[in-house]
Amino acid sequence: QCKTLVLQASGSGQIAIEALNDTGQIIMSRTVDVSAEDDGWYGSLPLSRSYELPFEYRVRGVQLRFRLKGNGGLLRLSGFAITTEQE
């Protein structure tokens, strides 16, 4: 069972996220506004620049689709994770 979706991103813009279940149906569609400065060095990006979204779904498999739209500069999606909970 999924609990949250965590994104680590920097720059300025929007990240549109679609999550599809194992049958191809869209189970979540969200847009995240990113406004985190980026100095070009991954190690300097603190965890406080993470964006945590509720993602409480029970699925056998999930496919994520990300669409990035920058506001005139570099917009970087450095990573993502899905936290889960065992029953």
Side-chain angles (χ1 to χ4, degrees):
Q1 178 163 331
C2 302
K3 296 305 280 180
T4 60
L5 172 63
V6 181
L7 303 177
Q8 191 169 21
S10 62
S12 178
Q14 296 84 32
I15 299 176
I17 308 156
E18 284 184 345
L20 295 84
N21 66 12
D22 57 329
T23 63
Q25 295 177 323
I26 295 175
I27 57 173
M28 183 194 81
S29 181
R30 298 270 311 255
T31 300
V32 176
D33 290 319
V34 177
S35 60
E37 293 301 317
D38 181 11
D39 63 5
W41 175 251
Y42 288 108
S44 68
L45 192 61
L47 290 177
S48 63
R49 302 291 166 89
S50 293
Y51 301 85
E52 189 168 338
L53 308 170
F55 192 68
E56 297 184 4
Y57 298 98
R58 179 177 293 219
V59 292
R60 281 185 274 187
V62 66
Q63 178 181 6
L64 298 174
R65 191 177 301 156
F66 299 99
R67 290 190 177 89
L68 284 69
K69 181 179 177 188
N71 291 337
L74 178 66
L75 176 61
R76 179 182 298 169
L77 175 60
S78 302
F80 66 91
I82 296 175
T83 62
T84 59
E85 183 177 88
Q86 239 180 356
E87 291 185 354

